[in-house]
Amino acid sequence: MSLLGTLTTSVSALDSFTTGLDTIGNDIANINTNGYKSSSVSFADTFSGLGTQVSATNTNFSQGALNSTGIPTNLGISGNGFFIVKDPNSGNEFATRDGSFTLDPNGYLVNSMGYRVEGYTGGSAGTAPSTLGDVKLGTPPSGTTLQSVSFSTGGDLVETYSDGSQATTNQVLLQNYTDPSSLTSQGNNLYSNLTGAGPLSTTLGASNAPAQGGLGTVQGGTIEQSNVDLTQEFSAMITMQRAFEANARLLTVSDTVLEDVVNMKTH
């Protein structure tokens, strides 16, 4: 390998390890982000065989801890699957594990951006929800007012009224994917490219009910936390830092040797 080749090799390594350190730093920065999934970088040699390059950034979709919030509309998924939320303005749908949902002034179950949670709606006392769409509170029976709401592990939204009666008015549905790694992060804890990730069902339906077909259950009053493991991240950071330092040293040595060669030719 020539000296110039050594310089090129070490520079490619420094670029790649910088990306690796950036990825680790992003994971650590998001340790308190609801539903955040950590990432790792894979490396490969270059086409010429001299140097290294980033081959892929992989997302770890393992389960994060479910923390109790005491807020009934906060939902966590225990197991596989994603909530589907829709932008009411554009109609675009996104997947998310962040279930920090609230009820907006119109009774829709929404995320922090006002995107509406998808599922079955339109239920009432004695009638199960069956209309696919935005999850929205029902109309209380005549002479009553809504007192509270709760969610079952199957995603059912149960409304309790002032006369003590109850009705299941909605059901939150989940979606899972054959290749979650193909989901594209859009920020705000949202993922796009849902079709490219291979949804297990092309449209939401009965097979998307929580606890069905390998999907997880819904835990009301909880939020899934980040799955970042600080111990792992710090270990990876030390390894990446040492590799960076070694290649920086190689760059310095190569520069010194090249300088000596140039000086030899000038004397």
Side-chain angles (χ1 to χ4, degrees):
M1 182 188 296
S2 67
L3 285 173
L4 290 179
T6 304
L7 288 171
T8 302
T9 298
S10 56
V11 167
S12 72
L14 292 177
D15 286 342
S16 298
F17 294 140
T18 296
T19 300
L21 288 169
D22 287 343
T23 301
I24 294 170
N26 187 59
D27 284 349
I28 294 174
N30 283 283
I31 192 170
N32 290 320
T33 300
N34 295 333
Y36 178 81
K37 300 303 178 184
S38 61
S39 299
S40 61
V41 173
S42 298
F43 302 102
D45 59 352
T46 60
F47 180 75
S48 65
L50 300 177
T52 186
Q53 61 184 338
V54 174
S55 61
T57 300
N58 309 299
T59 303
N60 172 19
F61 284 101
S62 65
Q63 175 82 50
L66 296 181
N67 281 3
S68 176
T69 65
I71 301 173
T73 55
N74 286 171
L75 305 179
I77 301 174
S78 178
N80 298 322
F82 296 79
F83 299 110
I84 301 298
V85 295
K86 179 187 288 186
D87 181 346
N89 297 316
S90 67
N92 293 331
E93 293 186 347
F94 303 90
T96 184
R97 292 281 297 197
D98 179 6
S100 53
F101 304 134
T102 58
L103 293 169
D104 72 6
N106 296 314
Y108 289 102
L109 186 66
V110 298
N111 70 357
S112 60
M113 299 182 67
Y115 293 178
R116 297 170 180 173
V117 180
E118 298 302 289
Y120 281 133
T121 188
S124 59
T127 303
S130 58
T131 302
L132 188 64
D134 306 332
V135 171
K136 183 183 181 183
L137 291 178
T139 302
S142 179
T144 70
T145 57
L146 179 66
Q147 292 294 100
S148 63
V149 298
S150 62
F151 283 87
S152 72
T153 56
D156 293 327
L157 170 56
V158 180
E159 301 181 20
T160 301
Y161 306 109
S162 55
D163 64 353
S165 63
Q166 293 183 323
T168 299
T169 58
N170 296 264
Q171 183 183 26
V172 171
L173 299 178
L174 305 178
Q175 182 66 282
N176 205 8
Y177 301 90
T178 57
D179 184 19
S181 63
S182 293
L183 293 172
T184 303
S185 176
Q186 294 296 302
N188 296 299
N189 301 335
L190 302 175
Y191 295 97
S192 62
N193 192 35
L194 308 190
T195 302
L200 296 187
S201 54
T202 54
T203 58
L204 293 178
S207 62
N208 298 98
Q212 302 292 322
L215 293 170
T217 58
V218 170
Q219 305 295 321
T222 69
I223 292 180
E224 183 180 3
Q225 302 301 295
S226 166
N227 70 349
V228 172
D229 184 332
L230 270 183
T231 303
Q232 264 189 347
E233 297 296 335
F234 283 133
S235 176
M237 181 172 63
I238 291 170
T239 302
M240 200 81 65
Q241 180 185 2
R242 294 308 182 200
F244 186 96
E245 291 173 350
N247 280 276
R249 179 61 178 163
L250 177 62
L251 183 64
T252 301
V253 170
S254 299
D255 176 57
T256 301
V257 173
L258 188 60
E259 182 182 11
D260 289 342
V261 171
V262 171
N263 289 336
M264 287 172 61
K265 291 185 177 182
T266 58
H267 291 292

Short mmCIF file of all heavy atoms in Angstrom, two decimals, residues 175-222:
data_model
loop_
_atom_site.label_atom_id
_atom_site.label_comp_id
_atom_site.label_asym_id
_atom_site.label_seq_id
_atom_site.Cartn_x
_atom_site.Cartn_y
_atom_site.Cartn_z
N GLN A 175 -50.59 -2.28 13.84
CA GLN A 175 -50.04 -2.82 12.60
C GLN A 175 -48.62 -3.30 12.86
O GLN A 175 -47.88 -2.67 13.62
CB GLN A 175 -50.03 -1.75 11.52
CG GLN A 175 -49.51 -2.19 10.16
CD GLN A 175 -50.39 -3.22 9.48
OE1 GLN A 175 -50.34 -4.41 9.83
NE2 GLN A 175 -51.20 -2.77 8.53
N ASN A 176 -48.24 -4.40 12.22
CA ASN A 176 -46.87 -4.86 12.30
C ASN A 176 -46.33 -5.04 10.89
O ASN A 176 -47.09 -5.05 9.92
CB ASN A 176 -46.76 -6.18 13.08
CG ASN A 176 -45.38 -6.37 13.68
OD1 ASN A 176 -44.55 -5.46 13.66
ND2 ASN A 176 -45.12 -7.53 14.24
N TYR A 177 -45.00 -5.19 10.76
CA TYR A 177 -44.36 -5.19 9.45
C TYR A 177 -43.38 -6.35 9.33
O TYR A 177 -42.73 -6.74 10.30
CB TYR A 177 -43.64 -3.86 9.23
CG TYR A 177 -44.60 -2.69 9.31
CD1 TYR A 177 -44.85 -2.05 10.53
CD2 TYR A 177 -45.29 -2.26 8.19
CE1 TYR A 177 -45.76 -1.02 10.62
CE2 TYR A 177 -46.20 -1.22 8.27
CZ TYR A 177 -46.44 -0.60 9.48
OH TYR A 177 -47.35 0.42 9.56
N THR A 178 -43.28 -6.89 8.10
CA THR A 178 -42.34 -7.98 7.86
C THR A 178 -40.90 -7.50 7.92
O THR A 178 -40.00 -8.26 8.25
CB THR A 178 -42.61 -8.62 6.49
OG1 THR A 178 -42.52 -7.61 5.46
CG2 THR A 178 -44.00 -9.24 6.44
N ASP A 179 -40.68 -6.21 7.61
CA ASP A 179 -39.33 -5.64 7.62
C ASP A 179 -39.35 -4.26 8.28
O ASP A 179 -39.28 -3.24 7.58
CB ASP A 179 -38.78 -5.54 6.19
CG ASP A 179 -37.35 -5.04 6.15
OD1 ASP A 179 -36.65 -5.12 7.20
OD2 ASP A 179 -36.91 -4.57 5.08
N PRO A 180 -39.45 -4.23 9.61
CA PRO A 180 -39.51 -2.93 10.29
C PRO A 180 -38.31 -2.04 10.01
O PRO A 180 -38.41 -0.81 10.11
CB PRO A 180 -39.58 -3.31 11.77
CG PRO A 180 -40.09 -4.71 11.80
CD PRO A 180 -39.55 -5.35 10.56
N SER A 181 -37.16 -2.65 9.66
CA SER A 181 -35.96 -1.86 9.40
C SER A 181 -36.14 -0.94 8.19
O SER A 181 -35.37 0.01 8.01
CB SER A 181 -34.75 -2.77 9.19
OG SER A 181 -34.93 -3.59 8.05
N SER A 182 -37.15 -1.23 7.36
CA SER A 182 -37.41 -0.38 6.19
C SER A 182 -38.25 0.85 6.54
O SER A 182 -38.44 1.72 5.68
CB SER A 182 -38.12 -1.18 5.09
OG SER A 182 -37.26 -2.17 4.56
N LEU A 183 -38.78 0.91 7.75
CA LEU A 183 -39.51 2.11 8.17
C LEU A 183 -38.54 3.29 8.21
O LEU A 183 -37.39 3.15 8.63
CB LEU A 183 -40.13 1.89 9.55
CG LEU A 183 -41.26 0.86 9.63
CD1 LEU A 183 -41.65 0.61 11.09
CD2 LEU A 183 -42.48 1.32 8.84
N THR A 184 -39.02 4.44 7.79
CA THR A 184 -38.19 5.64 7.72
C THR A 184 -38.57 6.61 8.82
O THR A 184 -39.74 7.01 8.93
CB THR A 184 -38.34 6.34 6.36
OG1 THR A 184 -38.02 5.42 5.32
CG2 THR A 184 -37.43 7.55 6.26
N SER A 185 -37.61 6.97 9.67
CA SER A 185 -37.88 7.91 10.75
C SER A 185 -38.18 9.29 10.18
O SER A 185 -37.46 9.82 9.35
CB SER A 185 -36.68 7.98 11.69
OG SER A 185 -36.89 8.95 12.70
N GLN A 186 -39.29 9.89 10.67
CA GLN A 186 -39.71 11.22 10.22
C GLN A 186 -39.55 12.27 11.32
O GLN A 186 -39.98 13.40 11.14
CB GLN A 186 -41.17 11.18 9.78
CG GLN A 186 -41.42 10.34 8.55
CD GLN A 186 -40.73 10.91 7.32
OE1 GLN A 186 -40.98 12.05 6.93
NE2 GLN A 186 -39.85 10.13 6.73
N GLY A 187 -38.95 11.88 12.45
CA GLY A 187 -38.91 12.77 13.60
C GLY A 187 -40.24 12.75 14.32
O GLY A 187 -41.22 12.16 13.85
N ASN A 188 -40.30 13.35 15.48
CA ASN A 188 -41.52 13.38 16.29
C ASN A 188 -42.03 11.97 16.61
O ASN A 188 -43.24 11.76 16.73
CB ASN A 188 -42.62 14.20 15.61
CG ASN A 188 -42.24 15.65 15.45
OD1 ASN A 188 -42.00 16.36 16.43
ND2 ASN A 188 -42.16 16.12 14.21
N ASN A 189 -41.10 11.00 16.68
CA ASN A 189 -41.42 9.61 17.02
C ASN A 189 -42.32 8.94 16.00
O ASN A 189 -43.05 8.00 16.32
CB ASN A 189 -42.07 9.53 18.41
CG ASN A 189 -41.18 10.08 19.49
OD1 ASN A 189 -39.96 10.11 19.35
ND2 ASN A 189 -41.78 10.52 20.58
N LEU A 190 -42.27 9.39 14.75
CA LEU A 190 -43.10 8.84 13.68
C LEU A 190 -42.25 8.13 12.63
O LEU A 190 -41.10 8.51 12.38
CB LEU A 190 -43.90 9.96 13.00
CG LEU A 190 -44.83 10.79 13.88
CD1 LEU A 190 -45.44 11.92 13.08
CD2 LEU A 190 -45.93 9.91 14.49
N TYR A 191 -42.85 7.10 12.00
CA TYR A 191 -42.19 6.40 10.91
C TYR A 191 -43.09 6.42 9.67
O TYR A 191 -44.32 6.27 9.77
CB TYR A 191 -41.94 4.93 11.28
CG TYR A 191 -40.96 4.73 12.42
CD1 TYR A 191 -41.42 4.54 13.72
CD2 TYR A 191 -39.59 4.73 12.19
CE1 TYR A 191 -40.53 4.35 14.77
CE2 TYR A 191 -38.69 4.54 13.23
CZ TYR A 191 -39.17 4.35 14.51
OH TYR A 191 -38.29 4.18 15.54
N SER A 192 -42.44 6.60 8.51
CA SER A 192 -43.15 6.55 7.23
C SER A 192 -42.65 5.34 6.44
O SER A 192 -41.98 4.47 6.98
CB SER A 192 -42.95 7.84 6.45
OG SER A 192 -41.57 8.02 6.15
N ASN A 193 -42.95 5.29 5.14
CA ASN A 193 -42.63 4.16 4.27
C ASN A 193 -43.30 2.89 4.78
O ASN A 193 -42.70 1.81 4.80
CB ASN A 193 -41.11 3.95 4.15
CG ASN A 193 -40.74 2.97 3.03
OD1 ASN A 193 -41.40 2.93 2.00
ND2 ASN A 193 -39.71 2.17 3.26
N LEU A 194 -44.55 3.01 5.15
CA LEU A 194 -45.28 1.88 5.71
C LEU A 194 -45.46 0.76 4.69
O LEU A 194 -45.33 -0.43 5.03
CB LEU A 194 -46.65 2.34 6.24
CG LEU A 194 -46.65 3.56 7.19
CD1 LEU A 194 -48.03 3.73 7.81
CD2 LEU A 194 -45.59 3.40 8.27
N THR A 195 -45.74 1.11 3.45
CA THR A 195 -45.92 0.09 2.42
C THR A 195 -44.62 -0.65 2.14
O THR A 195 -44.60 -1.88 2.01
CB THR A 195 -46.45 0.72 1.13
OG1 THR A 195 -47.69 1.39 1.39
CG2 THR A 195 -46.67 -0.33 0.05
N GLY A 196 -43.51 0.10 2.08
CA GLY A 196 -42.21 -0.51 1.80
C GLY A 196 -41.76 -1.45 2.89
O GLY A 196 -40.95 -2.36 2.64
N ALA A 197 -42.25 -1.25 4.12
CA ALA A 197 -41.85 -2.11 5.24
C ALA A 197 -42.63 -3.42 5.26
O ALA A 197 -42.32 -4.30 6.06
CB ALA A 197 -42.04 -1.37 6.57
N GLY A 198 -43.63 -3.56 4.40
CA GLY A 198 -44.37 -4.81 4.32
C GLY A 198 -45.38 -5.01 5.43
O GLY A 198 -45.19 -5.87 6.30
N PRO A 199 -46.47 -4.22 5.45
CA PRO A 199 -47.49 -4.40 6.50
C PRO A 199 -48.08 -5.80 6.45
O PRO A 199 -48.28 -6.38 5.37
CB PRO A 199 -48.54 -3.33 6.16
CG PRO A 199 -48.33 -3.03 4.70
CD PRO A 199 -46.86 -3.20 4.46
N LEU A 200 -48.34 -6.38 7.62
CA LEU A 200 -48.88 -7.74 7.67
C LEU A 200 -50.29 -7.80 7.10
O LEU A 200 -50.75 -8.86 6.68
CB LEU A 200 -48.86 -8.26 9.11
CG LEU A 200 -47.46 -8.42 9.72
CD1 LEU A 200 -47.55 -9.11 11.07
CD2 LEU A 200 -46.54 -9.22 8.79
N SER A 201 -50.99 -6.67 7.10
CA SER A 201 -52.29 -6.59 6.44
C SER A 201 -52.33 -5.27 5.67
O SER A 201 -51.93 -4.23 6.20
CB SER A 201 -53.44 -6.64 7.46
OG SER A 201 -53.28 -5.65 8.46
N THR A 202 -52.78 -5.31 4.42
CA THR A 202 -52.72 -4.12 3.57
C THR A 202 -53.61 -3.00 4.08
O THR A 202 -53.29 -1.82 3.91
CB THR A 202 -53.12 -4.47 2.13
OG1 THR A 202 -54.41 -5.13 2.15
CG2 THR A 202 -52.10 -5.42 1.51
N THR A 203 -54.72 -3.35 4.70
CA THR A 203 -55.59 -2.35 5.33
C THR A 203 -55.92 -2.82 6.75
O THR A 203 -55.97 -4.02 7.02
CB THR A 203 -56.90 -2.16 4.54
OG1 THR A 203 -57.59 -3.42 4.44
CG2 THR A 203 -56.62 -1.63 3.15
N LEU A 204 -56.14 -1.86 7.63
CA LEU A 204 -56.48 -2.21 9.00
C LEU A 204 -57.82 -2.92 9.04
O LEU A 204 -58.76 -2.56 8.33
CB LEU A 204 -56.54 -0.94 9.86
CG LEU A 204 -55.22 -0.21 10.10
CD1 LEU A 204 -55.46 1.05 10.93
CD2 LEU A 204 -54.21 -1.11 10.79
N GLY A 205 -57.90 -3.94 9.89
CA GLY A 205 -59.14 -4.69 10.01
C GLY A 205 -59.13 -5.54 11.26
O GLY A 205 -58.35 -5.31 12.20
N ALA A 206 -59.97 -6.57 11.28
CA ALA A 206 -60.11 -7.42 12.47
C ALA A 206 -58.80 -8.09 12.85
O ALA A 206 -58.54 -8.34 14.03
CB ALA A 206 -61.19 -8.46 12.22
N SER A 207 -57.94 -8.39 11.84
CA SER A 207 -56.67 -9.05 12.14
C SER A 207 -55.67 -8.13 12.82
O SER A 207 -54.61 -8.58 13.25
CB SER A 207 -56.05 -9.61 10.85
OG SER A 207 -55.77 -8.56 9.94
N ASN A 208 -56.00 -6.84 12.90
CA ASN A 208 -55.12 -5.86 13.54
C ASN A 208 -55.50 -5.57 14.98
O ASN A 208 -54.95 -4.65 15.60
CB ASN A 208 -55.12 -4.55 12.75
CG ASN A 208 -54.59 -4.72 11.34
OD1 ASN A 208 -55.36 -4.86 10.40
ND2 ASN A 208 -53.28 -4.73 11.20
N ALA A 209 -56.44 -6.33 15.51
CA ALA A 209 -56.82 -6.15 16.91
C ALA A 209 -55.66 -6.54 17.82
O ALA A 209 -54.97 -7.54 17.56
CB ALA A 209 -58.05 -6.99 17.24
N PRO A 210 -55.39 -5.78 18.86
CA PRO A 210 -54.32 -6.13 19.80
C PRO A 210 -54.50 -7.55 20.34
O PRO A 210 -55.63 -8.03 20.51
CB PRO A 210 -54.48 -5.08 20.91
CG PRO A 210 -55.08 -3.91 20.22
CD PRO A 210 -56.02 -4.48 19.20
N ALA A 211 -53.39 -8.23 20.57
CA ALA A 211 -53.36 -9.60 21.08
C ALA A 211 -53.80 -10.62 20.04
O ALA A 211 -54.03 -11.79 20.38
CB ALA A 211 -54.21 -9.75 22.35
N GLN A 212 -53.91 -10.23 18.77
CA GLN A 212 -54.26 -11.14 17.70
C GLN A 212 -53.10 -11.26 16.71
O GLN A 212 -52.41 -10.28 16.44
CB GLN A 212 -55.51 -10.65 16.94
CG GLN A 212 -56.74 -10.46 17.79
CD GLN A 212 -57.28 -11.76 18.32
OE1 GLN A 212 -57.27 -12.78 17.62
NE2 GLN A 212 -57.76 -11.76 19.55
N GLY A 213 -52.88 -12.44 16.17
CA GLY A 213 -51.91 -12.62 15.11
C GLY A 213 -50.49 -12.19 15.45
O GLY A 213 -49.79 -11.66 14.59
N GLY A 214 -50.09 -12.40 16.69
CA GLY A 214 -48.73 -12.04 17.10
C GLY A 214 -48.56 -10.60 17.52
O GLY A 214 -47.45 -10.18 17.87
N LEU A 215 -49.63 -9.81 17.49
CA LEU A 215 -49.56 -8.42 17.94
C LEU A 215 -49.57 -8.37 19.46
O LEU A 215 -50.11 -9.26 20.13
CB LEU A 215 -50.73 -7.61 17.39
CG LEU A 215 -50.74 -7.39 15.87
CD1 LEU A 215 -52.08 -6.80 15.42
CD2 LEU A 215 -49.60 -6.48 15.46
N GLY A 216 -49.00 -7.30 20.01
CA GLY A 216 -48.96 -7.13 21.45
C GLY A 216 -50.29 -6.65 22.00
O GLY A 216 -51.27 -6.44 21.26
N THR A 217 -50.31 -6.45 23.29
CA THR A 217 -51.51 -5.93 23.96
C THR A 217 -51.32 -4.44 24.24
O THR A 217 -50.20 -3.92 24.26
CB THR A 217 -51.77 -6.67 25.28
OG1 THR A 217 -50.63 -6.53 26.13
CG2 THR A 217 -52.05 -8.13 25.03
N VAL A 218 -52.44 -3.76 24.45
CA VAL A 218 -52.43 -2.33 24.77
C VAL A 218 -52.54 -2.16 26.28
O VAL A 218 -53.42 -2.76 26.91
CB VAL A 218 -53.58 -1.61 24.06
CG1 VAL A 218 -53.72 -0.17 24.58
CG2 VAL A 218 -53.36 -1.60 22.55
N GLN A 219 -51.65 -1.36 26.84
CA GLN A 219 -51.67 -1.10 28.29
C GLN A 219 -52.05 0.36 28.51
O GLN A 219 -51.26 1.26 28.25
CB GLN A 219 -50.30 -1.40 28.90
CG GLN A 219 -49.78 -2.80 28.61
CD GLN A 219 -50.62 -3.89 29.23
OE1 GLN A 219 -51.10 -3.75 30.34
NE2 GLN A 219 -50.82 -4.98 28.51
N GLY A 220 -53.29 0.58 28.98
CA GLY A 220 -53.74 1.93 29.24
C GLY A 220 -53.04 2.55 30.43
O GLY A 220 -52.65 1.85 31.37
N GLY A 221 -52.86 3.87 30.38
CA GLY A 221 -52.22 4.57 31.49
C GLY A 221 -50.72 4.37 31.55
O GLY A 221 -50.10 4.62 32.59
N THR A 222 -50.11 3.92 30.45
CA THR A 222 -48.66 3.74 30.40
C THR A 222 -48.09 4.34 29.12
O THR A 222 -48.83 4.56 28.15
CB THR A 222 -48.26 2.25 30.45
OG1 THR A 222 -48.66 1.61 29.23
CG2 THR A 222 -48.91 1.54 31.63
#
